[in-house]
Amino acid sequence: MNNKDLAKNVLDLVGGEQNISGLTHCATRLRFVLKDDNKADLKALDQLEGVLKAQNSGGQVQVVIGAKVDAVYSEVKNLTSDHIGELTESTDSGPKKRRNPVNVVLETIAGIFTPVLPALVGCGMIKCLATVITAMGYLEGSGFLTIINMIGDCIFYFMPFFLAVSAANRFKTNPYLAVALAAGLMHPTILNAAAQIAETGVNSIDFLGMPILLMKYSSSVIPIILAVWIMSYVYPIVNRVIPKFLQVLLTPMIVLFIMIPVELIVLGPVGSYIGDWLTNGINSLFSTAGVLAGAILGFFKPIMVMFGMHYAIMPIQVQQVATLGATVLLPTALAANLAQAGAAFGVFVLTKSKTMKSAAASSGFTALFGITEPAIYGVTLKYKRPFFAGCLAGGLVGGFYSLVHTTANAISLPGVLAIGTYSSDRYMYVVIGCVAAVVLGFVFTLLAGIKEDTDGNKSKQQATNKVNSNQTAVATEATTASVSSLTSTSSDMLIVSPMTGEIKPISEVEDQAFAQELMGKGIAIVPTDGKVYAPFDGVVEALYRTKHAIGLKAANGVEILIHIGVDTVSLKGKYFNAHIEQGQTITAGDLLVEFDPEGITSAGYNTITSIVVTNMQQYGDVLTTATSGPIRESEPLIKLIP
């Protein structure tokens, strides 16, 4: 399934565009704020090809996509109207739901920081490069190294500007006035005077008898967020008071006249003190109970990722780096990520499934570079034991990192590429921790073992549960893969070919759901004409409305899916003509569907047709008569062994 089709299907399954009041994405998942969460079909989303996991957490419906989330997000945005903002509340969403305050806070933090994440990570990786160059003794004092350091530091010097834009989107207020508030905090009048307090002895400016404390806000987080939040209420109030013909002139002036003094007199100092208290509190916790604190965070980090709560600690990390030059929190995330990578590699060794071996290997390497969702949702959590083996390994190494005072001096994805930004009592401890996390996650998984049949049964159950002819575009595409389970036959059964064409291995189908036999075992045929015939006596269990997929059940209970082409659901029935209806009784040789192979090919779609036994778990084996060569309609194709 391509990105555009995946985006369409996700939109349908969250209740359509009209049900969305906010949307954003992070490194691996789409995050929807919906007007009615009950309209989102999480089960269908969870089973959708291309989706690793779907869940409702932190007040959001989160659809975990993986590495291609940015491309899918772009397609979703292309399919929706401009009024859908970055996790903003719609004004016409009807009665407001009573929401958990904790969820609201988590949602707000995620909505503000996830858009800024690319800049944070980009600058963090540049900072890593500068650290490595400096440590190697190259280009010391050069202009090149000066500029590299500047790039790595720029987001921290101008943090209020970045947060002003994302906060304005989150609180649905004017982004340019929000940037003006950031400029008020960052104006040289304030910054220069704050830098000269030691020389001048002046620590405040009088404003109508009220003191404006001189503070450095260049790396602050909370003051600008508070200021933009308050402005989101002040702006509409002022706009209502001012006559319409004067709004364009007076509203911005009055809002700034109110807000900048308020942020400098009240919000700035309060926000700075809160940030300092949080930063110092975390540091005090790690200094007094560091091993325990590190172990707890290292253990629970993957669990926080599952619920999308890991962004809740982002402001503290940013504040620590901005204020103290380093954070004690990221090393525990590094330990947790690498431990899940080790657990995925453990599954690679233990599993006998070729599909899972491939998934475990690829997601394990992805986790090494700091993105763990594919490993967690696609591998370790499926077997449960490897997931908790990784959590245990992450907890042990997190405690070790705290013991040897490991910190990170930049915000980056916690993976092996960023270890240049970490420091410890000895740098070798950072490397030892990385190796230990992977090795312990691997060894603990081998010791815990996996229940292989759990994965097999789960995959089969996903295929069996996917029929619902009234489902939306993707739900039906996935669901027509199977029908309700029946008792298997007591003797061998031979299924004949439903079409004429060239036999191909199912692995050559450019759809992983079929190629990896997730829908069932079978064979593929490249058709030479455009006719599909009934291969046995039975009933039409499912007929997709675009006629490109048919689910059949034989009189003795054998169930097959005939899926014409790859991604042909996008044709919306064009080039297809059905001669049967869902629920209709059929006789072997009946013409089921006619289609135009040339028209489908000219539209840019592959006509290779998948023919799979969807209740394969009821048979000892599913064999094909050949893996290549020509075949005619009604010639033997698949043999079922009881």
Side-chain angles (χ1 to χ4, degrees):
M1 186 180 299
N2 60 37
N3 294 335
K4 185 174 182 180
D5 288 339
L6 180 57
K8 289 179 181 177
N9 295 325
V10 169
L11 273 177
D12 286 339
L13 293 175
V14 298
E17 177 183 348
Q18 67 278 5
N19 193 40
I20 302 172
S21 61
L23 168 66
T24 190
H25 75 95
C26 55
T28 57
R29 68 190 70 190
L30 300 173
R31 294 167 174 266
F32 293 92
V33 175
L34 303 180
K35 299 173 184 176
D36 185 354
D37 290 348
N38 293 324
K39 291 182 179 180
D41 190 340
L42 294 180
K43 183 177 180 181
L45 280 167
D46 212 27
Q47 296 175 350
L48 184 60
E49 180 192 345
V51 173
L52 296 173
K53 181 69 176 175
Q55 62 190 15
N56 192 327
S57 178
Q60 304 169 8
V61 169
Q62 301 174 5
V63 183
V64 183
I65 302 294
K68 64 176 184 178
V69 64
D70 189 61
V72 177
Y73 171 79
S74 297
E75 294 292 350
V76 173
K77 293 295 287 185
N78 289 338
L79 294 170
T80 56
S81 304
D82 292 338
H83 79 273
I84 295 179
E86 298 285 343
L87 285 177
T88 56
E89 295 291 341
S90 176
T91 57
D92 58 353
S93 58
K96 297 294 182 181
K97 298 175 287 186
R98 294 179 63 87
R99 304 175 63 193
N100 188 318
V102 175
N103 287 345
V104 173
V105 172
L106 293 177
E107 174 192 317
T108 300
I109 293 172
I112 291 173
F113 275 89
T114 45
V116 181
L117 193 59
L120 275 170
V121 172
C123 289
M125 294 307 296
I126 293 291
K127 191 72 174 176
C128 176
L129 176 63
T131 302
V132 171
I133 293 174
T134 302
M136 296 177 68
Y138 295 142
L139 304 173
E140 186 174 354
S142 67
F144 174 80
L145 190 57
T146 299
I147 297 300
I148 292 296
N149 274 306
M150 180 197 75
I151 297 172
D153 290 335
C154 66
I155 190 170
F156 293 103
Y157 283 125
F158 300 103
M159 181 64 72
F161 289 105
F162 291 90
L163 295 180
V165 176
S166 59
N169 288 331
R170 172 63 186 87
F171 298 127
K172 205 170 185 181
T173 191
N174 190 297
Y176 301 101
L177 289 180
V179 171
L181 296 186
L185 295 173
M186 296 290 294
H187 197 278
T189 299
I190 302 298
L191 294 184
N192 293 342
Q196 297 172 2
I197 290 177
E199 299 176 10
T200 64
V202 177
N203 61 4
S204 66
I205 299 174
D206 181 86
F207 180 80
L208 300 177
M210 294 175 287
I212 293 177
L213 298 180
L214 298 176
M215 306 182 71
K216 183 181 178 182
Y217 295 109
S218 57
S219 299
S220 62
V221 171
I222 298 177
I224 187 61
I225 294 176
L226 290 176
V228 176
W229 176 52
I230 297 297
M231 188 185 75
S232 68
Y233 292 97
V234 171
Y235 186 93
I237 293 173
V238 173
N239 215 33
R240 284 197 298 268
V241 173
I242 302 298
K244 287 188 177 181
F245 71 96
L246 292 176
Q247 285 176 351
V248 69
L249 295 174
L250 297 184
T251 298
M253 181 191 75
I254 295 173
V255 169
L256 291 177
F257 186 80
I258 294 172
M259 285 307 308
I260 290 184
V262 167
E263 74 172 354
L264 292 176
I265 296 170
V266 180
L267 302 179
V270 169
S272 293
Y273 290 140
I274 292 174
D276 289 342
W277 291 335
L278 288 173
T279 299
N280 294 331
I282 293 293
N283 284 337
S284 297
L285 176 63
F286 272 76
S287 63
T288 57
V291 175
L292 180 60
I296 290 174
L297 282 176
F299 183 91
F300 282 100
K301 170 64 164 45
I303 298 173
M304 294 173 69
V305 169
M306 286 174 54
F307 293 99
M309 297 172 59
H310 51 305
Y311 287 105
I313 61 176
M314 179 67 75
I316 302 175
Q317 293 176 168
V318 172
Q319 190 71 45
Q320 284 186 322
V321 173
T323 305
L324 306 174
T327 174
V328 295
L329 298 176
L330 267 180
T332 61
L334 176 66
N337 287 357
L338 298 185
Q340 288 296 321
F345 293 141
V347 173
F348 171 81
V349 172
L350 292 173
T351 184
K352 297 177 182 178
S353 166
K354 293 181 179 179
T355 299
M356 283 308 302
K357 278 188 179 292
S358 175
S362 60
S363 63
F365 279 108
T366 302
L368 287 177
F369 298 124
I371 298 177
T372 56
E373 277 91 337
I376 291 174
Y377 292 123
V379 181
T380 63
L381 198 57
K382 283 188 174 183
Y383 296 102
K384 296 183 177 63
R385 293 178 184 176
F387 174 75
F388 289 106
C391 289
L392 178 59
L396 291 175
V397 177
F400 167 74
Y401 273 154
S402 297
L403 180 66
V404 297
H405 307 106
T406 306
T407 60
N409 63 11
I411 302 298
S412 60
L413 287 177
V416 293
L417 291 181
I419 62 174
T421 61
Y422 293 81
S423 61
S424 190
D425 290 343
R426 290 186 177 182
Y427 186 74
M428 183 55 65
Y429 292 153
V430 177
V431 178
I432 291 173
C434 289
V435 175
V438 177
V439 171
L440 288 177
F442 178 80
V443 171
F444 288 168
T445 297
L446 294 185
L447 294 175
I450 61 174
K451 291 184 178 180
E452 191 69 67
D453 58 344
T454 299
D455 179 68
N457 291 339
K458 184 172 181 179
S459 296
K460 293 170 187 173
Q461 189 64 37
Q462 287 177 339
T464 303
N465 289 340
K466 285 185 178 179
V467 168
N468 183 352
S469 60
N470 297 320
Q471 187 56 272
T472 57
V474 80
T476 309
E477 170 118 12
T479 59
T480 53
S482 64
V483 290
S484 59
S485 299
L486 296 175
T487 304
S488 63
T489 60
S490 59
S491 60
D492 295 0
M493 178 177 179
L494 193 64
I495 300 176
V496 300
S497 175
M499 61 171 53
T500 298
E502 188 79 12
I503 295 178
K504 297 289 183 182
I506 195 71
S507 59
E508 293 189 10
V509 178
E510 295 178 355
D511 185 326
Q512 293 305 303
F514 291 104
Q516 296 180 9
E517 299 185 341
L518 299 179
M519 297 296 188
K521 288 187 176 181
I523 197 72
I525 295 177
V526 177
T528 54
D529 62 21
K531 295 181 179 180
V532 179
Y533 298 91
F536 46 60
D537 297 343
V539 65
V540 179
E541 281 290 312
L543 175 65
Y544 188 49
R545 63 175 178 272
T546 58
K547 289 86 175 177
H548 76 291
I550 317 158
L552 304 177
K553 182 168 70 175
N556 61 357
V558 177
E559 302 162 5
I560 71 168
L561 168 69
I562 303 172
H563 190 285
I564 306 166
V566 177
D567 291 332
T568 46
V569 61
S570 301
L571 292 172
K572 298 181 179 179
K574 188 177 182 181
Y575 306 118
F576 292 89
N577 181 34
H579 295 275
I580 39 85
E581 296 178 353
Q582 185 168 322
Q584 179 178 327
T585 300
I586 55 173
T587 302
D590 286 351
L591 179 62
L592 304 179
V593 172
E594 287 185 285
F595 60 95
D596 180 3
E598 293 183 0
I600 294 172
T601 302
S602 66
Y605 295 88
N606 192 332
T607 59
I608 189 169
T609 298
S610 302
I611 303 160
V612 296
V613 178
T614 55
N615 62 339
M616 63 181 182
Q617 66 270 22
Q618 297 183 15
Y619 299 92
D621 205 352
V622 178
L623 306 176
T624 56
T625 59
T627 56
S628 62
I631 190 169
R632 295 186 61 81
E633 176 265 325
S634 78
E635 291 182 349
L637 181 66
I638 297 174
K639 185 178 182 180
L640 302 175
I641 308 298

